[in-house]
Amino acid sequence: MVSIGERNYDVEIRRTTHGVAHIRANDWGSLGYGQGYGCAQDHLVTLADQYTKVRSERSLFHGAGPDGGLLATDFGYLAMGVMRKAPELRDSQPTHIRELVSGYVAGLNRYIKDAAGTEALAEWCRDAPWIREIDELDHWAYMIDLALMASGRNVAEIIGRAQAPGPDGPAPASPMSALSGTAPAASNGWAFGSDATASGHGIVVANPHFPWAGEARFWECHLTIPGELDVYGVSLLGTPGVQMGFNADVAWTHTFSRGNRFTLARLDLVDGDPTTYRFGEDTRAMNAQTYSVQVRGDNAEVTTEERTLWSSHHGPIVNLPLLGWGMDNAFAFQDANLDNHAMLAQFLGMATARSMDEFQASYAEIQGMPWVNTLAADRSGRAWFIDASTTPALSEGAKKRFVERLETDFVAALLHQNRVALLDGSNPDDDWISLEGARRDGLLPYGEMPQLERRDYVLNANDSHWLNHAESPLEGYSPLHGLERTPRSLRTRQNLLVAAALAASGTVTNETAIDALLDNKSLSAQLLVDAVIERVRNFDTETVELSESNRLAEAAEILAQWDQRFDLSSSGAVLWREFMAGFEPAAHQNAGALFAVAFDPDDPLNTPRDLAAAPHDVPDPVLVSLLKALDVLAEAGVDPSAPLGEAQWVQRGEHRIGVHGGYEADGVCNVLAPNGSLSSHSLEPSQPRLRAVADRAATSGLAEGGYRCTYGTSFLMSVELTDDGPEAVGLLAYGQCGDPRSPHHVDGTVAYANKATRPLLFTDEQIEKDPNLVRLNLRTS
């Protein structure tokens, strides 16, 4: 294997409509060179920040951050050993992946040289010292960080805050903001088989919902090495290859798995010694390690801060919000993906598969999928679901105790609501176990991962593996893959209802699939709005003041005129959203203040349902929530009858663009929201913060003026695998480029707002005919 400096690269980058990069080379290194250069053209600022993060140097360039968050995160990355583990990850890779990554780094560094000091970079960061050439190990460290997207990346700050109790007692618990992004992200994925499609070929629909800023964005590309690789799709920023997309024979998409990629172990501490814990009949001392981080002060002076952090045999100790690290208990973190050396090989194995058999074999043999479900179909019309996410393996006893703990232990239940699994770290039988066939000790093997193959459809919308087809539940799997026979979200129910109806028609095409996904029908409205209107029109007027009675009558009329969708023109959608936001999230999934009929695991699509009866002894929560909805909308300055497109928008540079789409409680498939659940960090200048309204920040996200969306539909794709090649349509909703000065920062958003997909160009003939074609040839010697 030659080093970066000793090899030559030769690659062609063809840009088509919306800035899509079609990259063609004759070897893996040159392909990586083109992808690294092209992605840096569009997102260098974000990439440079990520390399700064994994080097634990954000504090060096940006200071300790609010509440010391950047400093704590720098310490957390040191404690996880991300940079320390990079050489081992690099050395474990096959030659073609080593070449691909070496080329990627060389291409990225080439663009950094080309852009340095020029208008290619925005003025605010043109001379930023943290935008600099990287070492290949920096990139391998970032690949480790990417594998930790559903685990260590989100808890780095609370690892970096975990200082042992001293003579004056425990250190302060971490702020609530320190444990963010652990809830499952929202995405939809559909795969239709031969019994469902008009042609008898497979069709895959991708609708991942991700942040619209920061590192967790996608970049659209088409990668070709003649005779070896020809794949179209998207990659997460800075990632060689394609994570979701299609080749000539197979297409696939992903949704975030509901399962657990890490565990917390609660340690029973020895009395008077907070760094020693009980383990079975014995005691064990924690290990201490002192780390150093350079910190830039307000006066630009750089100082060095040291912090001693601790670990158990499970892994690093964390400082949980509210709980902290006390004298009785501590919590240790263990990450299933920290040593995932197979992630890039997994994505490339999928990209080169030529049939469903080969596609499935890549999963069985490589076992490198970090944190997502997969929905796939092939040209022959086979449709497949699998949650192959890297998952800890537990004994039968540990699995039973884990489930029981959710019912009896408040802390365990609260953590689980935030996608954190709590084990008993002082019970040896709760340790991860080794199973035959797994990629490494402590993980579940391929044979114990939930999967389903059908000829009609499979789907997922971020609930667990249990129900990915209306009539074929999957049961008997580890609870760390997700719970079974539990309520489904309104969005999952709507996905199942919509996809099942499509499949039953036997006439699914790209056009009908995209239309169904973007129709923005509200299941919560379908289930409840008529009954709410009737309740309002028939309540006892003597129990409500006249002014409130008039307001309720006005609200009922608005809802009666609403089309029960979340389209741009939908008048009444904002009122319904705020009505639903008045109920606790748990009320959306079971009987209570909102629904009368409880969830039934034997009828999951149709339950819960029906509006709960008005109570006799307390104010009717339906009327209370509707009045509250009118109040908060008035506080925000939003007319309750305003079309959604006037009150919901995204800001792309100087452009305010009204957008369609809804939230979880709206019960629509297509999500667009002011806040999301996936952790993402951005140094790029942002719009001024809007004044929050009442208690809506964590529910509907309503703020002054309405809903400024920052999260939701990102890459949208439908692809049919015909005998004449793939036929695909799609869009990248936030655009290809992170620079607000670029037309490709806004053109994708305009397309999304208009529901205007474009052809995804796959053949040379299609690419060469594109009216916006631009070529760039890169060579080194």
Side-chain angles (χ1 to χ4, degrees), residues 353-378:
R354 291 292 173 257
S355 67
M356 184 60 75
D357 283 342
E358 289 187 13
F359 192 83
Q360 292 173 342
S362 77
Y363 278 73
E365 295 166 6
I366 300 172
Q367 300 188 43
M369 188 56 66
W371 24 251
V372 286
N373 305 299
T374 300
L375 294 305
D378 72 353

Side-chain angles (χ1 to χ4, degrees), residues 17 22 76 99 163 289 345 357 430 455 634 639 676 723:
T17 297
H22 304 261
E99 292 176 348
Q163 294 177 278
Q289 178 71 49
D357 283 342
D430 266 23
R455 285 281 180 174
D639 185 334
D723 289 335

Side-chain angles (χ1 to χ4, degrees), residues 640-714:
S641 64
L644 181 65
E646 294 182 6
Q648 178 170 282
W649 76 97
V650 294
Q651 197 72 37
R652 307 304 289 159
E654 299 178 351
H655 304 277
R656 171 177 165 143
I657 302 170
V659 288
H660 52 87
Y663 310 164
E664 295 294 329
D666 300 332
V668 300
C669 295
N670 173 40
V671 167
L672 213 62
N675 43 44
S677 55
L678 193 63
S679 176
S680 189
H681 178 271
S682 178
L683 290 174
E684 299 161 20
S686 60
Q687 297 295 319
R689 184 182 296 272
L690 300 177
R691 177 179 58 83
V693 171
D695 57 352
R696 297 311 206 217
T699 54
S700 69
L702 178 66
E704 183 179 7
Y707 311 92
R708 186 174 67 194
C709 295
T710 59
Y711 178 92
T713 289
S714 53

Side-chain angles (χ1 to χ4, degrees), residues 215-281:
E215 71 272 21
R217 283 176 287 179
F218 292 112
W219 188 68
E220 192 171 350
C221 57
H222 176 198
L223 307 178
T224 304
I225 300 175
E228 271 191 271
L229 177 74
D230 196 7
V231 61
Y232 188 111
V234 289
S235 64
L236 285 163
L237 300 189
T239 311
V242 159
Q243 280 76 67
M244 64 182 78
F246 60 91
N247 59 34
D249 303 288
V250 187
W252 62 96
T253 187
H254 300 298
T255 62
F256 253 84
S257 166
R258 185 72 187 187
N260 301 102
R261 314 284 78 85
F262 69 94
T263 59
L264 288 185
R266 180 165 49 196
L267 306 176
D268 182 14
L269 301 179
V270 171
D271 293 343
D273 187 353
T275 61
T276 302
Y277 60 98
R278 296 181 178 86
F279 188 67
E281 299 298 321

